[in-house]
Amino acid sequence: MPEDAPIPSFAPRPKSRAARLAQLVPMVVLLPTLITTGIYIFVFVLWNVYLSMTSSSILPVYDFAGFDAYTRLWRNPRWTTGVWNLALFGVLYILLSTAFGIFLAILMDQRVKGENLLRSIFLYPIAISFVVTGTTWQWILNPSTGLQSFVRNLGWEGFELSLITDRETAIYAVVIAAVWHASGFVMVMVLAALRGVDSDMVKAGQIDGAGMGKIYRRIILPTIWPVLISVFIILLQFAIKTFDLVLALTHGGPGISTTFPAIFVYDRLFAAGELAQGAAAAVWMLLGLVVVFLPIMALNWVIRRQKGAAS
């Protein structure tokens, strides 16, 4: 090319009208859904907060009553029992589901025979609803029709299994049913993460003389922490919204021994005709979710930011 020849320009061509329209189509299609979702979430949450500060009973009224509904709420023994049950259930449910799920995932990660069949069996409970799960376990744990009756018919007359009929143990029946329902889901999530771990890291640990137990504890599980955080958030959401499982399994009883906040909200709104108190309870449930989720999301963001800066 001659020295005085002009240098060709490679400036990008302006997008055509068709290309611009093609970019706008997804936004236009999603816009009604985004608007509807925004109204559903923010407008109705604000309306619920205001309703909790009124004296509404069967029908909503819009006089301002301050925090009277919140004060009466924490004097209600059914609400305080529900909050305690949720705390106990949430801790046991999340810990046991995660532990069993990780254990099953590690077993599946050993490339056992019949892995596809076993994976389907362990995953099956999550495919059925909480109502079916609760009804099934209610039948199994019912002293007159379930496991206790079966064992006694075999000749062991002294056998007793009164989990769902004893006030002190009924909450643990809910935990057992919920863990059975969620463990397979945790297994699938963790197993997918385990299969994505770099094999060179495992080989390096083996060369250093570490056993498989130590490799899982020190190398593999810390590597898949984002998946474990996702599992924790999903299980926590399930725990806080627990309603249909308890309703099908124990109906909140015996007495109020297995009452949960979601059941309390439903009863206040639709059975007792206490709209203000039910709205106040729903606000507390929302605040519980926010208080738990925000630190976790902030920690996740900080760790990702540090990793991005390091790389």
Side-chain angles (χ1 to χ4, degrees):
M1 179 181 295
E3 293 183 359
D4 56 348
I7 300 175
S9 174
F10 296 98
R13 292 182 179 179
K15 293 182 179 180
S16 64
R17 184 177 180 182
R20 290 196 299 269
L21 288 176
Q23 289 183 338
L24 289 175
V25 167
M27 298 177 61
V28 173
V29 171
L30 290 175
L31 189 60
T33 302
L34 294 176
I35 294 175
T36 305
T37 303
I39 294 174
Y40 178 79
I41 294 176
F42 297 106
V43 173
F44 283 107
V45 165
L46 292 176
W47 182 76
N48 185 80
V49 171
Y50 181 77
L51 195 65
S52 69
M53 297 182 182
T54 65
S55 59
S56 301
S57 54
I58 297 178
L59 295 175
V61 294
Y62 298 102
D63 60 329
F64 185 73
F67 294 97
D68 178 65
Y70 293 90
T71 304
R72 290 186 292 110
L73 179 67
W74 286 101
R75 293 200 202 109
N76 192 319
R78 188 171 184 182
W79 168 255
T80 54
T81 300
V83 172
W84 165 249
N85 285 340
L86 177 60
L88 177 61
F89 170 81
V91 170
L92 294 177
Y93 169 62
I94 293 173
L95 290 180
L96 293 178
S97 297
T98 304
F100 280 121
I102 291 175
F103 176 72
L104 292 174
I106 291 176
L107 290 181
M108 293 294 101
D109 196 39
Q110 309 307 310
R111 311 288 182 176
V112 297
K113 291 183 178 180
E115 176 187 336
N116 293 333
L117 176 62
L118 292 174
R119 190 167 59 226
S120 301
I121 292 173
F122 291 138
L123 187 61
Y124 174 75
I126 198 65
I128 61 178
S129 67
F130 278 117
V131 173
V132 175
T133 299
T135 303
T136 302
W137 280 94
Q138 198 275 341
W139 178 82
I140 293 173
L141 299 175
N142 192 313
S144 59
T145 60
L147 190 59
Q148 175 177 304
S149 175
F150 175 75
V151 175
R152 286 186 175 182
N153 289 336
L154 292 178
W156 188 359
E157 295 294 336
F159 180 78
E160 183 176 354
L161 184 64
S162 57
L163 281 177
I164 63 174
T165 58
D166 189 336
R167 289 175 179 265
E168 301 298 325
T169 59
I171 188 66
Y172 301 108
V174 180
V175 173
I176 291 172
V179 170
W180 176 82
H181 185 269
S183 295
F185 165 74
V186 178
M187 178 203 72
V188 171
M189 294 277 289
V190 175
L191 181 60
L194 292 178
R195 296 286 166 84
V197 173
D198 189 357
S199 59
D200 292 337
M201 298 173 61
V202 178
K203 292 178 181 178
Q206 292 173 338
I207 292 174
D208 291 338
M212 286 306 299
K214 193 172 184 179
I215 289 175
Y216 274 104
R217 290 195 311 271
R218 299 293 182 85
I219 299 176
I220 297 179
L221 292 181
T223 303
I224 64 172
W225 67 266
V227 174
L228 297 180
I229 290 179
S230 300
V231 166
F232 173 80
I233 292 175
I234 294 172
L235 293 181
L236 182 63
Q237 182 184 7
F238 284 163
I240 293 178
K241 297 192 304 181
T242 299
F243 173 78
D244 38 6
L245 174 65
V246 180
L247 210 61
L249 180 57
T250 64
H251 301 282
I256 60 173
S257 59
T258 57
T259 293
F260 280 71
I263 295 178
F264 180 88
V265 170
Y266 177 83
D267 287 342
R268 292 292 98 182
L269 292 177
F270 302 107
E274 289 283 348
L275 288 182
Q277 197 171 82
V283 170
W284 275 111
M285 291 178 63
L286 177 62
L287 289 176
L289 281 169
V290 171
V291 167
V292 173
F293 283 167
L294 281 185
I296 295 175
M297 301 305 293
L299 177 63
N300 192 14
W301 179 80
V302 169
I303 294 176
R304 288 181 180 275
R305 189 178 180 85
Q306 290 177 346
K307 282 192 171 183
S311 59

